[in-house]
Amino acid sequence: MTPEEFRILGHHLIDWIADYRSDIEKHPVLAQVEPGEVRKSFPSTPPAGQVSHDEIIRMLDERIMPGMTHVQHPMNFGWFPSNSALASVLGDIAGSGLAALGISWESCPSLTEVEELVCDWMRQLAGLSPEWRGCIHDTASTACLTSLIVARERATGLIQNRGGIQSEPRPLVVYTTEQSHSSVRKAALLAGFGHENIRNIETDPDTFAMLPQALAEAILQDLDSGRTPAAIVATSGTTGVAAFDPLDDIADIARRHNIWLHADAAMGGSALILPECRPLMRGIERTDAISWNPHKWLGANMDCSLMYVRDTQMLQSVMSTNPSYLKSASDSQTTQLRDWSIPLGRRFRALKLLFLLQIDGIESVRDLMRQDIDNARWLAGQVGDSADWKVLAPVRLQTVCIRHEPEGLHGEALDRHTLAWARSVNASGKALVTPAILNGRWMVRVSIGAIPTTREHVETLWRLIRDTASGILK
Ligand SMILES: *Cc1c(COP(=O)(O)O)cnc(C)c1O
């Protein structure tokens, strides 16, 4: 493809994307395809020649579109917001077009310096002190893995430079809760801590937040039995119910025992840009690392996960390797982001945030988030006021966990009813919600926050849910 051909198809594609976004409500939210259907719509062998540009657009319409679950749809209340603001899409396209090789400052000074800049802008918008320095990872999963590797090395005085974790006589322990994201457990396993050394600390039965007293006791027990408490992963905005672990109390305990404290604020971090939400994360300043996904609620195009640390020396002493071909004369004056994270090369992800902050502006992002929080409170009010309906956890942000509990339905029968109405709502294509297990029973999460979602959409959802659930009982 020549640049001239790129110009023509590129314009066409931008129009296609703009049409898609403006007409998104025409599509069912959940993809209506059967497993294997998308793949079967393509030839099983690679194309021998070239296909026309028209053919490419037709492929998007006819083969790709049916297999899309439209998370940008205003009736998407599934999982968590996975917002992709169009301003950020343009930043992503600019980044792809520039196609930098982000392996060192020298390989693209703009990439490194703009990444440092937007991380610092985001830090300021979040009300965090200048002690924090950040970089952009692909996902919170990677950020948590990076953080737990640093925790492991910190607890062992850089054992990677000696016999590695295999030579550590005292087992290293990680503390989290059952409510934390599955990626936390995965990171702990990948970082070599081992299943037996991951503690699920008890949570408050009403708020689902970590109980600091239970944490303190578990740490003392492990110390007594000759183990080394190495890391605590606290969550700000848990995946199930958006609970907030009490960071201030947890930080007291972490400091007392010199344990690395990672705040997984993948979802909740965005709420830091709203000063009224910051009390939920009081104490965040006293943690050692924070991960936060602007690719969720904030609207940066996937993938864009911020990770902040205060001790950048420690991070670099674990993550840095310095082969000769990467050394340059400017090394002492520049940041080498490869020493802050796992991959060597990186994409120019910072442009997604730069475009979002410059084109849409932070006030419009704040307005949208406040509207989501209002809508969540409205829905929780409606559910709470309805006979046979329950709100199952405090509504801290934009997630509302609900259950229809008609008289006489208990245990597994209640589970079957919950799954039946949730699946029926999803299969209708009119809206998407997420069933999940809480305290051993199915419930339904309504995660409000797609960019085009308004109060009317939430009202429509509530009518649909009520009608579906009562219709199923008949
Ligand atoms: C979404 C989420 C994650 C995982 O995010 P990825 O960026 O997809 O890895 C981790 N923790 C919490 C609390 C989340 O909400």
Side-chain angles (χ1 to χ4, degrees), residues 80 139-141 181 183 235 237-239 264 266-267 293 295-296 302:
F80 39 75
T139 60
S141 304
H181 192 268
S183 59
T235 310
T238 59
T239 312
D264 177 4
M267 180 60 208
N293 282 357
H295 71 221
K296 284 185 167 163
M302 180 89 177

Side-chain angles (χ1 to χ4, degrees), residues 53-72:
H53 294 178
D54 286 350
E55 193 69 26
I56 293 292
I57 298 290
R58 203 163 330 124
M59 170 197 71
L60 288 174
D61 282 328
E62 293 172 8
R63 295 174 183 170
I64 303 293
M65 202 54 101
M68 291 297 299
T69 289
H70 301 280
V71 291
Q72 308 308 319

Side-chain angles (χ1 to χ4, degrees), residues 9 84 120 129 163 180 182 210-211 233 250 300 303 355 425 431 450 473:
L9 182 57
S84 161
D120 197 60
S129 75
S180 71
S182 57
M210 188 188 285
L211 288 170
V233 181
I250 295 170
D303 50 357
F355 273 47
V425 165
L473 284 181

Side-chain angles (χ1 to χ4, degrees), residues 172-470:
L172 306 168
V173 185
V174 178
Y175 304 84
T176 187
T177 76
E178 203 183 52
Q179 299 293 323
S180 71
H181 192 268
S182 57
S183 59
V184 172
R185 187 167 199 81
K186 185 167 177 175
L189 294 176
L190 293 175
F193 287 93
H195 174 76
E196 288 168 9
N197 301 305
I198 302 171
R199 302 273 174 273
N200 276 334
I201 301 304
E202 196 187 331
T203 54
D204 182 290
D206 298 316
T207 65
F208 302 95
M210 188 188 285
L211 288 170
Q213 187 56 34
L215 172 68
E217 284 162 17
I219 290 170
L220 289 179
Q221 245 175 29
D222 281 321
L223 285 169
D224 270 354
S225 59
R227 294 164 195 270
T228 305
I232 303 166
V233 181
T235 310
S236 299
T238 59
T239 312
V241 305
F244 285 78
D245 291 336
L247 293 175
D248 226 9
D249 296 341
I250 295 170
D252 285 341
I253 298 167
R255 293 252 167 121
R256 194 180 314 144
H257 297 286
N258 194 25
I259 305 171
W260 180 264
L261 174 55
H262 177 87
D264 177 4
M267 180 60 208
S270 294
L272 286 169
I273 71 165
L274 304 178
E276 68 271 27
C277 288
R278 287 183 196 154
L280 290 168
M281 288 164 273
R282 186 173 292 126
I284 197 159
E285 196 59 48
R286 302 168 63 213
T287 65
D288 295 291
I290 304 169
S291 60
W292 159 19
N293 282 357
H295 71 221
K296 284 185 167 163
W297 199 10
L298 204 81
N301 209 26
M302 180 89 177
D303 50 357
C304 184
S305 183
L306 297 168
M307 176 173 168
Y308 290 94
V309 294
R310 287 185 293 129
D311 188 350
T312 53
Q313 264 336 95
M314 187 66 217
L315 174 66
Q316 291 175 75
S317 52
V318 178
M319 291 288 150
S320 163
T321 51
N322 245 334
S324 57
Y325 71 93
L326 289 174
K327 291 195 197 305
S328 77
S330 56
D331 280 359
S332 63
Q333 307 149 46
T334 57
T335 303
Q336 303 297 349
L337 290 171
R338 64 173 184 271
D339 296 341
W340 291 51
S341 49
I342 294 170
L344 168 58
R346 60 208 300 119
R347 306 199 301 122
F348 205 154
R349 292 196 185 90
L351 287 175
K352 298 189 262 202
L353 276 173
L354 189 68
F355 273 47
L356 179 67
L357 294 175
Q358 290 190 324
I359 297 172
D360 283 353
I362 197 65
E363 286 312 322
S364 80
V365 177
R366 285 189 171 122
D367 287 348
L368 282 172
M369 290 173 56
R370 289 192 171 117
Q371 180 189 307
D372 296 334
I373 293 173
D374 272 357
N375 284 339
R377 288 185 184 147
W378 176 85
L379 178 66
Q382 296 291 308
V383 174
D385 286 346
S386 302
D388 299 341
W389 284 88
K390 271 217 180 88
V391 178
L392 302 170
V395 177
R396 302 282 190 230
L397 296 178
Q398 43 55 265
T399 307
V400 189
C401 297
I402 65 175
R403 189 157 52 216
H404 184 219
E405 300 183 347
E407 228 181 284
L409 275 190
H410 303 285
E412 286 178 15
L414 181 60
D415 276 349
R416 278 195 297 278
H417 175 65
T418 305
L419 286 173
W421 71 254
R423 285 176 181 159
S424 172
V425 165
N426 292 348
S428 76
K430 291 178 188 154
L432 185 65
V433 293
T434 306
I437 291 177
L438 184 65
N439 287 340
R441 284 267 91 86
W442 285 95
M443 54 97 178
V444 174
R445 293 171 65 257
V446 177
S447 172
I448 297 172
I451 290 172
T453 302
T454 63
R455 174 64 57 83
E456 285 71 47
H457 292 106
V458 182
E459 288 171 2
T460 305
L461 173 77
W462 175 225
R463 268 197 307 277
L464 176 67
I465 286 178
R466 257 180 320 174
D467 293 350
T468 309
S470 55

Side-chain angles (χ1 to χ4, degrees), residues 112-125:
T112 301
E113 295 189 13
V114 176
E115 187 161 327
E116 290 188 284
L117 176 79
V118 294
C119 288
D120 197 60
W121 284 0
M122 295 299 288
R123 174 193 69 72
Q124 294 175 45
L125 290 169

